[in-house]
Amino acid sequence: MKKIKISPSILSADFSKLSEDIKRLEHGGADMIHVDVMDGHFVPNLTIGPPVIKSLRKHTKLPFDVHLMINPVHKYIKDYSDAGADIITFHPEATENIMETINLIKTSNKKVGISLNPNTEIKIIYDYLDKIDLVLIMSVYPGFGGQKFINAVIEKIKKLDEIRKDRKLNFQIEIDGGINFETAKIAIDAGVDILVSGTTIFKENNGDLKKNIKILKQI
Ligand code: DX5
Ligand code: ZN
């Protein structure tokens, strides 16, 4: 059985004690920390930026899986890299030149992810799949936690997994939005390697992070 990685989204954490929540996630068995960066422009919500990421960096050894929902994204890559991101994921609509943004992230020695919104087609990134480390499939429209999983993205995951096998590529498939104990199984069966989860991890079983992470890993 494939080993599934869990990337809890701190969008559902208590922002007044982020460092404590991150430590609890680490002790609870998280593989990385998903950081949702929103600019109130690319998506209709605002969250945190490089200074907060930088100050959190010293509180965990886990990789920071930074999901940039900002436009324009290119000119801010260095700031997120310097702040301590390990994986930097951007949306193709937010850059004028996808290849240049990939190269900039690589030059900073960070892993590169590209995120596809529910209505963004795979063909947009087809030419880049051999150059990136991760494809982040959005299973909700980005902007808010707690939304309902969009089933139609399952076909996209299956297609990506097929392309990956056919072309013998190594990128990971991560899914983000509406993941619960049922939708996680559907996503994993379709080919997902990494589950992002905010609401389920922070709210199910009275917020028992360790238990919720364990359940997601055993699905
Ligand atoms: C949505 C964010 C997600 C979100 C997931 O724009 O990218 O990471 O926090 O939250 P849940 O798990 O609550 O759907
Ligand atoms: Zn996200």
Side-chain angles (χ1 to χ4, degrees):
M1 210 174 75
K2 183 164 77 174
K3 203 163 182 286
I4 299 299
K5 289 190 179 140
I6 309 295
S7 188
S9 167
I10 54 169
L11 194 59
S12 297
D14 181 339
F15 273 31
S16 71
K17 47 184 178 78
L18 276 176
S19 61
E20 281 173 43
D21 278 358
I22 281 176
K23 279 185 203 141
R24 289 203 298 135
L25 289 169
E26 183 165 7
H27 294 140
D31 296 286
M32 54 190 105
I33 302 290
H34 188 81
V35 184
D36 286 308
V37 176
M38 305 185 185
D39 67 352
H41 164 70
F42 185 70
V43 289
N45 195 6
L46 266 175
T47 55
I48 57 171
V52 177
I53 295 173
K54 188 171 178 214
S55 66
L56 290 173
R57 186 59 284 180
K58 53 185 173 295
H59 294 283
T60 179
K61 288 195 173 62
L62 291 181
F64 279 168
D65 170 30
V66 176
H67 177 193
L68 297 178
M69 288 161 273
I70 61 174
N71 186 12
V73 69
H74 193 85
K75 64 177 176 180
Y76 296 107
I77 297 290
K78 189 173 183 309
D79 292 342
Y80 287 95
S81 165
D82 291 347
D86 297 281
I87 304 168
I88 300 182
T89 296
F90 65 96
H91 286 252
E93 297 87 351
T95 179
E96 283 175 5
N97 190 320
I98 296 173
M99 199 58 232
E100 275 179 18
T101 301
I102 291 173
N103 284 337
L104 183 59
I105 298 172
K106 282 190 168 176
T107 316
S108 317
N109 282 320
K110 308 295 181 180
K111 290 203 165 137
V112 185
I114 296 190
S115 183
L116 297 179
N117 275 346
N119 55 359
T120 303
E121 292 181 41
I122 301 175
K123 66 176 183 219
I124 292 195
I125 58 163
Y126 198 80
D127 291 344
Y128 309 102
L129 289 173
D130 59 340
K131 298 171 180 69
I132 62 178
D133 302 286
L134 179 95
V135 178
L136 176 65
I137 296 291
M138 292 308 303
S139 37
V140 298
Y141 287 93
F144 301 93
Q147 301 183 73
K148 194 174 176 299
F149 186 83
I150 299 171
N151 270 301
V153 304
I154 290 300
E155 286 312 309
K156 207 186 277 185
I157 296 165
K158 287 184 181 163
K159 181 77 193 153
L160 262 180
D161 190 37
E162 205 178 290
I163 296 171
R164 175 165 67 172
K165 282 178 187 142
D166 286 352
R167 291 171 58 187
K168 297 188 172 54
L169 299 175
N170 292 316
F171 63 84
Q172 302 255 287
I173 305 175
E174 182 176 32
I175 191 156
D176 186 3
I179 289 296
N180 57 37
F181 302 135
E182 286 84 47
T183 54
K185 166 127 183 64
I186 302 170
I188 292 165
D189 288 347
V192 156
D193 310 284
I194 307 170
L195 298 170
V196 175
S197 163
T199 308
T200 295
I201 286 180
F202 280 93
K203 307 275 188 275
E204 284 296 327
N205 294 303
N206 295 317
D208 186 338
L209 306 180
K210 193 171 191 166
K211 183 170 183 180
N212 294 331
I213 290 171
K214 195 171 169 202
I215 296 173
L216 286 173
K217 280 197 174 192
Q218 286 173 346
I219 279 170

